[in-house]
Each structure stands twice: as structure tokens, then as C-alpha cells.
Amino acid sequence: MPRKPFICCNWKMNTTRAEAVALAEGTARTAAETPAVEVGACPPACYIEAVAAAANDSPLLVGGQNMYAEAKGAFTGEIAGPMLADLGCACVILGHSERRHVFDEPDDLIARKVRAAFEVGLTPILCVGELLQERKAGRTETIVRRHVTSGLEGLPKDQAARAVIAYEPVWAIGTGETATPDQAQEVHAFIRTLLEEMYDARLAQTVRIQYGGSVKPGNAHDLLARPDIDGALVGGASLKVDSFRAIIAEGAEAKEL
Ligand code: PEP
């Protein structure tokens, strides 16, 4: 079964409410025009409800940028999986490099979040990827192996098959520097071998692996033309409807859809 490409926006801590709604409307139109690509938008948590309303009646999936691992309780400032689901989210970004490196989230917390997401029917987008110094030290595979194996630890096969993994080399996020298609493909193929080791070949061929890190209209085609790159997680270039629409169009063309 071919993997349906999945291209998802991460608006991070950007937009006003009005900007988020306008972006959602434009992105929802793009999603409707390109049904062969699954399109998602992860707005700031405070605008999820407004974005979900704007995306209503469109195929645009709405997601959270993060969540806590517990369903409720005394965790001031956190948002729970059931709350995201209640707001209409279908997916949630977990283990984003900014969560790992700015907020020091450890592997075991991220793994608990992944399991908590599945408990409420949210698809986790598990972000994995190495720092620049780790790449330079030849440790890319070691780091990616650790992120993937710990992130999926304990997940039954039926859940792991539905997880989305985003390979996001940290040195390429928000820097304008993109991994070359060869560099990205190499790591994506490595992630598939890991999935085969952890589960089986069939599951390894089922899981969608996005690339993230300064994806823009000018590089989306070459990245998505690679066989193991099933989509993209897009930050900066998703903040303008036109550039995100161009990325979707390039991705669809690269996959010959
Ligand atoms: C991201 O936030 O996940 C990301 C990849 O950002 P950017 O596209 O801006 O590098």
C-alpha cells in the first residue's frame, strides 16, 4: 500500500487569532484542492478552537504542538491529550527539537506523551534528529536510534504503524539550512531499518516519515521525490498561505499524484 504523503504546518508561537484563522482558511482551501496529500496545521494551543472552526468541512487536520503525558490534574500551564481531542485535534507534535533542547524534555517523558496521545486517539508526530555537533561527530544514527526506539517504546504494533515520525535535523530547523535530499533520504532509510528491527518489514513500509528543517517551495520537490520521504513538517514557510500551497504542489508533483 503506498503511503499517503502528509505535510503539516507548525506555526510555533506565532500569529494573532485573526492571522491564525486567515491562515487556516487558506490552508484548508489548499487541503481541499490536493486530496492526494494529507494536510495538517498545528496552531498555538489558544487558537486551536478557532482554527478547527475555520477548517470545518475541509480535509485539513488540526493538531497540537505539544501536550502533557497525564490526562488531567495539577500540572499548571500544561494541556492534556483529552483537551486537544476535545478541541478537534487529530494529531499532536511530540518531541520537537525546541521541546527537547529549549525545554529539556527527556526521552522518557516524550515516550509517555506518545502513549498518552494514542490513548485519546491522537496521531503523534514524533520528532527525532541530531544536533550539528552530533552530526559532525558522526553520531547521527546513534541519536536517531535513541529518539526512535525510546519514543516508540512499549507501543503495540497497531499503534506504531499509525505513528508519524518527523526526521528534523536540529541544525536545519529555522536556520535556512536544509539537509540535502541525499542526507535526508539516508536517515529516513535508516529509520525504516530501525522500525523493521523493532517490529517487522511490513510495519517499516507502513509508517510515514516526514522531513522537517527549512522546507520551502524551492527544495520541497527534490526532498519529497526521495522514496523514503513521505511528507514534511514545515515551520517558517507554513506561515504564508502561498508558500505552503507551493510546497504542497511541489510535494504532490514529486510523488506523481
Ligand atoms: C519545525 O518547526 O518543525 C520546522 C521544521 O521549522 P522550519 O521549517 O522553520 O525549519
Side-chain angles (χ1 to χ4, degrees):
M1 259 262 289
R3 298 179 294 270
K4 184 173 184 176
F6 180 24
I7 302 183
C8 189
C9 310
N10 175 13
W11 297 343
K12 310 195 187 193
M13 199 173 73
N14 293 301
T15 76
T16 62
R17 187 180 200 279
E19 286 165 350
V21 168
L23 254 182
E25 286 168 353
T27 307
R29 276 195 297 278
T30 303
E33 286 158 15
T34 326
V37 176
E38 201 157 86
V39 180
C42 299
C46 54
Y47 302 140
I48 287 173
E49 194 160 20
V51 165
N56 199 17
D57 292 333
S58 90
L60 178 66
L61 301 177
V62 179
Q65 297 178 10
N66 183 34
M67 58 174 255
Y68 194 54
E70 299 293 333
K72 63 177 181 174
F75 303 103
T76 302
E78 293 293 326
I79 184 160
M83 295 171 183
L84 292 180
D86 199 22
L87 291 174
C89 287
C91 56
V92 58
I93 299 170
L94 295 174
H96 190 278
S97 67
E98 286 143 24
R99 301 302 318 174
R100 291 182 191 270
H101 300 294
V102 181
F103 298 99
D104 287 331
E105 285 194 8
D107 291 333
D108 59 336
L109 175 61
I110 294 163
R112 285 173 55 215
K113 291 182 179 195
V114 170
R115 292 195 291 271
F118 274 119
E119 268 165 36
V120 290
L122 294 168
T123 298
I125 301 174
L126 172 66
C127 300
V128 305
E130 79 287 1
L131 297 163
L132 184 58
Q133 60 267 35
E134 292 166 338
R135 175 163 280 265
K136 284 186 173 160
R139 299 186 61 227
T140 298
E141 290 194 355
T142 306
I143 300 300
V144 169
R145 175 183 287 275
R146 201 191 80 213
H147 288 170
V148 172
T149 53
S150 66
L152 300 183
E153 197 183 330
L155 282 190
K157 207 161 42 170
D158 65 309
Q159 290 186 347
R162 284 182 281 125
V164 173
I165 295 177
Y167 169 56
E168 299 207 302
V170 182
W171 46 273
I173 297 180
T175 59
E177 182 134 353
T178 319
T180 65
D182 281 349
Q183 286 173 320
Q185 165 61 29
E186 194 181 1
V187 179
H188 282 232
F190 172 68
I191 293 171
R192 270 192 225 290
T193 63
L194 281 179
L195 293 170
E196 188 168 341
E197 261 176 40
M198 292 174 73
Y199 294 94
D200 58 35
R202 191 190 167 104
L203 182 136
Q205 290 306 318
T206 304
V207 170
R208 290 181 296 178
I209 309 175
Q210 298 173 320
Y211 168 78
S214 300
V215 174
K216 36 191 182 271
N219 59 25
H221 187 284
D222 287 353
L223 286 161
L224 273 91
R226 297 305 169 115
D228 289 301
I229 302 182
D230 305 317
L233 187 55
V234 187
S238 71
L239 289 167
K240 292 213 162 57
V241 172
D242 285 351
S243 63
F244 190 65
R245 177 183 291 126
I247 289 171
I248 303 280
E250 293 291 341
E253 197 185 290
K255 295 292 186 205
E256 298 177 2
L257 299 170

